[in-house]
Amino acid sequence: MPTRHDDTSSPEAKPSLNAVRERIHTRNAGDHDFLQAVDEVFESLEPLVAQEPEWLDDALLDRICEPERQVVFRVPWTDDAGRVHVNRGFRVQFSSALGPYKGGLRFHPTVTLDTVKFLAFEQTFKNALTGLGLGSGKGGSDFDPKGKSDAEIMRFSQSFMTELWRHLGDETDVPAGDIGVGGREIGYLFGQYKRLRNRHESGVLTGKSPSWGGLDVRTQATGYGVAYFAETMMDARGGTLHSATCVVSGSGNVAIYAIEKLQAFGATVVACSDSSGSVIDPDGIDVAWLREVKEVRRERLDAYAAERPAASYRPGEGVWDVACDAAFPCATQNELGEEDARMLVANGVRCVAEGANMPCTPEAVHVFQEAGVAFAPGKAANAGGVAASGLEMRQNAARERWSFERNDEQLRALMADIHHASASAAARLGRPNDLVLGANVAGFERVAEATRALGVV
Ligand code: NDP
């Protein structure tokens, strides 16, 4: 009898994990980032499925790897000189098994449907790990905010929302920021949503300014969360980040607040970067000045070094060659490859925590794991942003406002819970230090149980 690889409903035999993986590869051929993320999860599922093969029943894995809905749309807008431009907008609503779709919007010229699908897939497991009842989604556009005026950003954001609004709702789909989408963009997006709906549904977007419905600590949450997670991970292994020398890639939202919290712990962050180059500042990065350069003046990092006598700017270079105890990739996907990982290990790194989504290639992760470096995968380590968004949604629904300190305390506790869930799953499968395995399995079990319970929908 011929095997029917494309028949996900065949009752005859349980497919192997590999057969499911191959089917997903065939169905998504060419989606490089998405398939990389799927492969990482499937590698982690091997020991789980070996113990509990019923996870292969009823095409459950196929369903978890197929987005519930994908929206692609035209975004026309006019620049300050009156010229008309067209960009492409995306929203991938991946899973609503655990709650409304939830995940950020990215504005960057490299954004494709593949990028958004990979990010939404990662978000499925990350959101499940928070335990807050959040589904998953992600969106964005190939629009490049660099060099655009405020008025251009506003017109683009309004046009983007003029299509996206019909797919959103505080019980349906709740976007937030990501690369290129910060407080300014969330404001313009929310303003247009409010105008179109004629309703002040503050729970429809998170990452809002605290002055109109946002959460104190949401801006800091992902970066602080990465530092909290890394400290918990090191503590569990009898180490600490206090007095560690650290390097952080990027100088955006996640990077800035990771640097701030690490330095509050007593660590010294000696290098950071942007897409033009890196700075080394042996006395420790001056966060207030970095924020002024990147968030207020919106300049490149050479402007940071120009005012700091001890700092040096290295055009076109990253940070992975700088000797450190702990490294925090906080810029973008696949920014840290095998050679970078080998260099970090040779220079004595003991801890790597991913602030960005999938910043380390699979080869780099294997180098760290083989060298015994404590490795925190982004799914767990950068979940602080979405966890804070969950708190923002809760406070919006209850029309409450908690203090910065209370939110920060909750964030820290949530990061410890996520570490605990990941470490426990890893220990149960006999690899206690493998948090990649643990985060994937713990997130998978939560979303898979809900998906199964809701029937074939
Ligand atoms: P920002 O836009 O605020 O900052 C991104 C930073 O990364 C900037 O310094 C940017 O440099 C740099 N960067 C972007 N692309 C590249 C590239 N190709 N090469 C080198 N540097 C690059 O984004 P966020 O800080 O919000 O996001 C960073 C990462 O964290 C992303 O992977 C995102 O998905 C992830 N993340 C973000 C969360 C959040 O709450 N914001 C939540 C969870 C994950 P430049 O200034 O030159 O553009």
Side-chain angles (χ1 to χ4, degrees):
M1 201 163 163
T3 35
R4 297 187 298 168
H5 277 296
D6 58 342
D7 184 352
T8 56
S9 64
S10 169
E12 296 134 26
K14 227 183 257 306
S16 69
L17 191 60
N18 207 33
V20 181
R21 199 189 71 90
E22 274 175 25
R23 197 158 54 218
I24 291 165
H25 270 252
T26 305
R27 181 175 286 150
N28 298 281
D31 289 346
H32 176 267
D33 288 345
F34 174 66
L35 292 173
Q36 182 182 331
V38 167
D39 284 351
E40 187 208 277
V41 170
F42 271 53
E43 198 181 320
S44 295
L45 292 184
E46 274 169 27
L48 179 72
V49 168
Q51 283 182 12
E52 300 170 24
E54 60 276 15
W55 291 118
L56 293 168
D57 291 342
D58 301 328
L60 187 61
L61 288 169
D62 295 81
R63 286 189 276 150
I64 286 173
C65 293
E66 185 69 15
E68 289 178 19
R69 188 176 297 108
Q70 306 187 67
V71 189
V72 182
F73 53 97
R74 178 175 68 190
V75 190
W77 59 282
T78 307
D79 69 19
D80 290 344
R83 285 183 299 256
V84 176
H85 302 262
V86 178
N87 284 97
R88 190 168 284 172
F90 306 95
R91 186 72 181 164
V92 173
Q93 298 178 328
F94 217 105
S95 170
S96 58
L98 288 169
Y101 307 112
K102 182 85 198 87
L105 299 171
R106 177 178 291 191
F107 292 169
H108 194 275
T110 59
V111 168
T112 63
L113 185 58
D114 175 30
T115 321
V116 176
K117 197 159 69 165
F118 122 67
L119 289 165
F121 178 74
E122 291 280 288
Q123 200 83 40
T124 304
F125 304 93
K126 182 189 309 190
N127 292 6
L129 267 177
T130 68
L132 292 177
L134 301 170
S136 63
K138 203 84 188 188
S141 173
D142 57 1
F143 172 74
D144 186 358
K146 276 207 191 76
K148 304 290 190 299
S149 69
D150 264 9
E152 288 171 333
I153 299 279
M154 182 176 74
R155 285 196 293 275
F156 175 80
S157 300
Q158 289 172 340
S159 180
F160 184 84
M161 186 53 90
T162 301
E163 170 58 31
L164 189 65
W165 74 275
R166 71 190 81 243
H167 307 287
L168 306 184
D170 53 10
E171 297 290 344
T172 307
D173 186 349
V174 182
D178 191 78
I179 291 179
V181 178
R184 172 181 60 168
E185 291 75 16
I186 292 290
Y188 295 146
L189 290 163
F190 183 72
Q192 184 71 352
Y193 180 87
K194 186 178 73 60
R195 185 177 193 194
L196 290 164
R197 291 281 292 149
N198 193 29
R199 284 163 63 94
H200 196 287
E201 287 172 27
S202 51
V204 78
L205 284 170
T206 59
K208 302 180 294 291
S209 160
S211 59
W212 47 274
L215 183 89
D216 285 316
V217 108
R218 174 60 187 90
T219 308
Q220 295 87 345
T222 308
Y224 279 17
V226 176
Y228 290 148
F229 191 93
E231 178 62 7
T232 308
M233 173 175 76
M234 294 310 285
D235 187 50
R237 290 164 203 225
T240 178
L241 290 175
H242 298 209
S243 80
T245 299
C246 304
V247 301
V248 174
S249 66
S251 50
N253 173 263
V254 180
I256 285 174
Y257 294 100
I259 296 171
E260 184 173 278
K261 186 53 73 179
L262 288 167
Q263 301 206 142
F265 283 161
T268 308
V269 180
V270 294
C272 68
S273 60
D274 64 14
S275 53
S276 316
S278 56
V279 283
I280 299 186
D281 195 339
D283 301 335
I285 299 287
D286 179 337
V287 179
W289 175 230
L290 182 65
R291 288 186 58 188
E292 172 70 24
V293 170
K294 297 301 293 187
E295 290 183 344
V296 181
R297 303 186 187 188
R298 299 185 189 276
E299 289 183 6
R300 320 303 306 154
L301 272 183
D302 52 350
Y304 172 93
E307 302 277 326
R308 292 269 295 172
S312 50
Y313 177 65
R314 309 189 307 164
E317 288 189 42
V319 294
W320 310 130
D321 61 326
V322 179
C324 61
D325 304 308
F328 296 83
C330 294
T332 193
Q333 65 267 24
N334 291 325
E335 55 161 313
L336 195 163
E338 184 174 357
E339 283 314 304
D340 302 315
R342 290 196 190 289
M343 204 152 38
L344 282 162
V345 168
N347 283 333
V349 76
R350 292 181 285 113
C351 161
V352 176
E354 293 186 322
N357 285 310
M358 210 169 73
C360 300
T361 64
E363 296 77 19
V365 176
H366 287 139
V367 170
F368 293 135
Q369 289 178 327
E370 274 165 26
V373 172
F375 180 78
K379 249 181 221 108
N382 72 29
V386 76
S389 285
L391 299 179
E392 186 172 334
M393 289 161 74
R394 188 184 293 176
Q395 287 166 56
N396 288 154
R399 296 191 186 277
E400 278 182 10
R401 185 156 174 207
W402 300 354
S403 67
F404 184 95
E405 290 70 26
R406 185 171 170 198
N407 285 317
D408 192 27
E409 215 172 276
Q410 283 279 317
L411 172 67
R412 195 169 192 155
L414 274 162
M415 296 315 294
D417 288 349
I418 292 169
H419 179 270
H420 178 70
S422 306
S424 305
R428 179 157 51 82
L429 292 166
R431 297 195 337 229
N433 284 333
D434 188 345
L435 294 181
V436 176
L437 171 76
N440 281 330
V441 166
F444 170 79
E445 286 177 331
R446 285 183 186 164
V447 75
E449 272 163 24
T451 304
R452 188 155 60 188
L454 298 182
V456 180
V457 290

